């Protein structure tokens, strides 16, 4: 395999971990077995990200819409999450990983909330990498919530309508202080973003792989990163402007 260029790594990778159910179905197992196996991929990807020096990793673990699933599956997912957090604390502390979360976490079961906040607190001083779990997360709901909070600040006189800019709005999102994702990976071959980081992904590079999440291990991840390194991120500029930034800068000042 070609080598990764350590100077061109994404700062922030976001992943839609999809395909656990299909992984299990292919083996005549129940969906839960797929979720269990998927946790091994989570460990692998977190470890690899930390080793490579990726600073931010956001994992879509449970969407706002996932509350529509059968109660048994939700309960089991919550239990797995709780156990994952407890089991990973030592590894996070040993490796300088800080935990953060985004989403309507107040909807999570009390026990999970407790473990989540404890882990966040205990890892708050870690500086090597931030692992962000998207839990009960929905991009539209996030935007609605930030608009509400912004309007409240206007009512209180803390903000004026004229002061609302892209930058200001982004500070009201769950992801305030977190850079926008450079790369989105979605496993299991679905070509959709399923209400994930709608605002934040305006210029994110997208990598979709048919690999099901429980099979998405280090090698597959490295392939995605290698693919990312071949992209030319233009942000609206022409390709020539990207290749000769200095010349263009003077012309456009
Ligand atoms: C992703 O796998 C895990 C969660 C959404 C929690 P799925 O459970 O969506 O797996 P498929 O899409 O049914 O294969
Ligand atoms: C997206 O996967 C959410 C997570 C990975 C947590 P889904 O499997 O829920 O997405 P849809 O329903 O197929 O779009
Ligand atoms: Mg799915």
């Amino acid at each position: 395999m070609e080598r990764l260029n350590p100077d061109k790594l994404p700062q922030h990778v976001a992943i839609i971990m999809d395909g656990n159910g299909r992984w299990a179905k292919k083996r005549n197992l129940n969906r839960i077995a797929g979720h269990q196996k998927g946790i091994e991929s989570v460990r692998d990807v977190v470890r690899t990200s930390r080793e490579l020096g990726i600073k931010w990793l956001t994992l879509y673990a449970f969407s706002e819409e996932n509350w529509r699933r059968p109660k048994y599956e939700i309960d089991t997912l919550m239990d797995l999450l709780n156990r994952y957090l407890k089991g990973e604390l030592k590894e996070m502390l040993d490796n300088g990983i800080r935990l953060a979360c985004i989403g309507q976490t107040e909807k999570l079961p009390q026990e999970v909330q407790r473990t989540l906040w404890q882990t966040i607190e205990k890892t708050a001083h870690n500086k090597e990498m931030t692992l962000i779990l998207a839990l009960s997360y929905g991009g539209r709901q996030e935007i609605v919530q930030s608009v509400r909070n912004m309007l409240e600040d206007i009512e209180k006189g803390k903000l004026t309508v004229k002061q609302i800019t892209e930058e200001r709005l982004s500070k009201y999102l769950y992801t305030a202080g977190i850079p926008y994702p450079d790369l989105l990976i979605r496993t299991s071959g679905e070509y959709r973003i399923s209400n994930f980081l709608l605002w934040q992904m305006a210029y994110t590079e997208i990598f979709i792989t048919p690999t099901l999440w429980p099979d998405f291990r280090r090698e597959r991840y490295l392939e995605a990163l290698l693919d990312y390194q071949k992209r030319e991120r233009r942000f609206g500029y022409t390709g020539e402007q990207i290749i000769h930034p200095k010349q263009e800068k003077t012309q456009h000042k």
Side-chain angles (χ1 to χ4, degrees):
M1 200 175 119
E2 283 171 76
R3 286 277 186 139
L4 274 175
N5 176 352
D7 300 326
K8 267 186 86 178
L9 283 168
Q11 197 187 1
H12 182 176
V13 177
I15 307 183
I16 303 179
M17 311 183 288
D18 198 12
N20 294 351
R22 276 161 286 171
W23 183 93
K25 201 172 173 196
K26 272 197 347 199
R27 289 163 178 76
N28 277 319
L29 299 168
N30 68 21
R31 299 179 53 82
I32 306 303
H35 296 314
Q36 277 165 338
K37 199 74 185 166
I39 292 183
E40 292 175 27
S41 298
V42 172
R43 285 201 191 98
D44 224 51
V45 166
V46 170
R47 242 174 235 170
T48 305
S49 304
R50 170 65 185 83
E51 271 171 40
L52 292 172
I54 288 167
K55 286 287 171 192
W56 308 84
L57 174 67
T58 301
L59 300 178
Y60 204 4
F62 195 85
S63 74
E64 190 54 39
E65 288 71 25
N66 286 147
W67 291 114
R68 296 171 183 159
R69 293 195 178 192
K71 185 175 180 316
Y72 173 69
E73 183 168 344
I74 295 174
D75 289 348
T76 315
L77 279 169
M78 293 300 148
D79 186 49
L80 284 173
L81 171 63
N82 200 26
R83 278 196 267 173
Y84 167 78
L85 290 171
K86 287 190 170 163
E88 275 339 83
L89 178 63
K90 188 176 179 311
E91 166 126 6
M92 288 187 212
L93 293 172
D94 288 348
N95 292 290
I97 299 172
R98 174 170 78 111
L99 185 78
C101 67
I102 54 173
Q104 296 183 279
T105 47
E106 65 282 1
K107 290 191 181 172
L108 299 170
Q110 287 295 328
E111 171 65 13
V112 175
Q113 286 190 46
R114 208 173 307 128
T115 312
L116 186 62
W117 292 112
Q118 276 171 3
T119 315
I120 289 173
E121 219 173 276
K122 286 181 183 154
T123 61
H125 59 282
N126 288 344
K127 297 211 160 38
E128 298 305 324
M129 181 177 106
T130 303
L131 169 64
I132 303 149
L133 295 182
L135 298 167
S136 191
Y137 176 87
R140 286 180 177 161
Q141 293 83 350
E142 176 183 38
I143 292 169
V144 169
Q145 191 55 52
S146 32
V147 169
R148 280 195 187 145
N149 293 344
M150 221 159 45
L151 291 178
E152 269 179 24
D153 279 352
I154 289 177
E155 273 179 357
K156 288 182 198 153
K158 285 189 190 168
L159 182 73
T160 66
V161 173
K162 283 219 172 87
Q163 284 172 333
I164 300 175
T165 57
E166 273 181 36
E167 207 195 338
R168 181 80 61 147
L169 196 148
S170 74
K171 295 203 171 100
Y172 282 86
L173 300 169
Y174 293 129
T175 52
I178 301 172
Y180 295 144
D182 302 295
L183 171 65
L184 168 75
I185 299 171
R186 182 166 189 150
T187 58
S188 90
E190 303 295 348
Y191 285 76
R192 53 179 176 262
I193 53 177
S194 303
N195 206 12
F196 192 36
L197 301 173
L198 297 180
W199 169 279
Q200 296 85 344
M201 293 209 296
Y203 266 105
T204 299
E205 295 295 327
I206 300 177
F207 181 87
I208 292 170
T209 168
T211 305
L212 304 173
W213 178 250
D215 292 326
F216 191 84
R217 297 298 163 90
R218 186 187 172 88
E219 280 307 302
R220 296 278 96 80
Y221 186 33
L222 296 177
E223 279 165 20
L225 293 169
L226 203 59
D227 189 273
Y228 167 83
Q229 296 195 328
K230 292 182 183 144
R231 312 275 180 99
E232 179 179 75
R233 302 186 73 188
R234 296 209 189 106
F235 301 101
Y237 293 102
T238 67
E240 288 74 19
Q241 286 174 298
I242 301 292
I243 297 164
H244 309 289
K246 276 195 193 123
Q247 265 163 276
E248 290 300 329
K249 225 188 210 165
T250 47
Q251 282 172 21
H252 287 270
K253 269 273 150 104

